[in-house]
Amino acid sequence: MKTEFKNGVRDGIPIALGYFAVSFSIGIMVVSSGLSVFQGTIISASNLTSAGQFAGIKIIAASGTILEMIITQFIINLRYALMSLAMSQKFSEKIKLWQRFVIAFANTDEIFAVAMAHGKSLTFHYMIGLQSLPIIGWISGTILGGVSGNMMSHTLQVATGVALYGMFIAIVIPAGRKSRPVLFTACTAVIISSVIYYVPFFSFISGGMSIIISTIISAGLSAFLFPIKDAETSEEADLSRKEELIQI
């Protein structure tokens, strides 16, 4: 048990360092949006998702409705349901139901990727070790960013907060260069969001609804224009199986 936990902690160190840097920007954005450091800390401790937290804080700052928050978080974080289903296939038979709930709390993109690349069955102690430092890094980064933001001028807060947008760009650009559908989806979402923001006719649409509308339309268009063919899916599955056999 101790060995599994230590292995998980070791594998989680790079994730924790990355989370600390990103959540530092989140902390600054929390303060610049009019929220307190304590409120930002509670949000980070209960919502381990950069995109979801970013959108959520924007909705709060814009005095959005609870319905907007629910829909936005559901759309943005829906991928975690698929990740959890995939990860559950690697769980050890000894993992109990309540332990699955604990693990699901911090099933982020990076933790999922490391867990799926783990060569053995996933035990509860390994997953707790893997998730512990990233959670600490995310929360502590938010606190430090919020405290630092209180000491900065508004201009410096805005300038430092650009780092968060840089993170999202760094996520989209590499994927967009490799995949036309991804690039099309991102560009379409940007265009729709910009039209809603700048065209006076759409001034009645709040920031939260803007995210929902641009996400649904851009994703729907991409699904219609770039459908995944059954043959391609089958070939990708066969290739994935071959790679797994080679690794074994």
Side-chain angles (χ1 to χ4, degrees), residues 148-229:
S148 301
N150 280 327
M151 302 177 183
M152 300 178 183
S153 64
H154 178 71
T155 303
L156 190 56
Q157 288 180 18
V158 174
T160 309
V162 173
L164 190 62
Y165 295 95
M167 180 200 71
F168 290 125
I169 293 174
I171 293 173
V172 174
I173 294 300
R177 293 178 63 182
K178 297 178 181 179
S179 173
R180 289 179 57 191
V182 172
L183 181 62
F184 175 83
T185 304
C187 292
T188 303
V190 170
I191 293 172
I192 296 172
S193 181
S194 299
V195 170
I196 294 175
Y197 183 83
Y198 288 106
V199 176
F201 178 78
F202 298 108
S203 59
F204 65 93
I205 299 178
S206 64
M209 286 303 299
S210 175
I211 295 174
I212 296 170
I213 293 171
S214 59
T215 300
I216 293 177
I217 294 178
S218 60
L221 283 174
S222 296
F224 177 76
L225 297 175
F226 306 100
I228 299 178
K229 299 179 181 179

Side-chain angles (χ1 to χ4, degrees), residues 56-233:
I57 293 173
K58 286 294 184 181
I59 293 174
I60 294 173
S63 300
T65 64
I66 295 178
L67 180 61
E68 291 175 5
M69 180 69 77
I70 292 173
I71 297 175
T72 301
Q73 295 301 319
F74 177 78
I75 294 174
I76 292 176
N77 298 318
L78 185 60
R79 68 188 186 280
Y80 292 132
L82 301 177
M83 292 180 186
S84 296
L85 286 172
M87 184 187 291
S88 66
Q89 306 305 307
K90 286 198 65 176
F91 282 166
S92 168
E93 296 179 356
K94 297 181 179 179
I95 293 183
K96 301 177 181 178
L97 180 61
W98 70 268
Q99 293 175 330
R100 290 172 180 258
F101 282 112
V102 174
I103 294 172
F105 170 72
N107 183 23
T108 64
D109 302 80
E110 294 77 14
I111 290 174
F112 169 78
V114 173
M116 294 302 290
H118 189 59
K120 303 177 182 178
S121 296
L122 300 174
T123 65
F124 179 69
H125 292 88
Y126 173 82
M127 290 304 302
I128 291 300
L130 177 63
Q131 295 175 335
S132 297
L133 288 184
I135 292 174
I136 294 173
W138 187 257
I139 297 174
S140 61
T142 302
I143 295 174
L144 187 58
V147 173
S148 301
N150 280 327
M151 302 177 183
M152 300 178 183
S153 64
H154 178 71
T155 303
L156 190 56
Q157 288 180 18
V158 174
T160 309
V162 173
L164 190 62
Y165 295 95
M167 180 200 71
F168 290 125
I169 293 174
I171 293 173
V172 174
I173 294 300
R177 293 178 63 182
K178 297 178 181 179
S179 173
R180 289 179 57 191
V182 172
L183 181 62
F184 175 83
T185 304
C187 292
T188 303
V190 170
I191 293 172
I192 296 172
S193 181
S194 299
V195 170
I196 294 175
Y197 183 83
Y198 288 106
V199 176
F201 178 78
F202 298 108
S203 59
F204 65 93
I205 299 178
S206 64
M209 286 303 299
S210 175
I211 295 174
I212 296 170
I213 293 171
S214 59
T215 300
I216 293 177
I217 294 178
S218 60
L221 283 174
S222 296
F224 177 76
L225 297 175
F226 306 100
I228 299 178
K229 299 179 181 179
D230 294 338
E232 293 177 355
T233 305

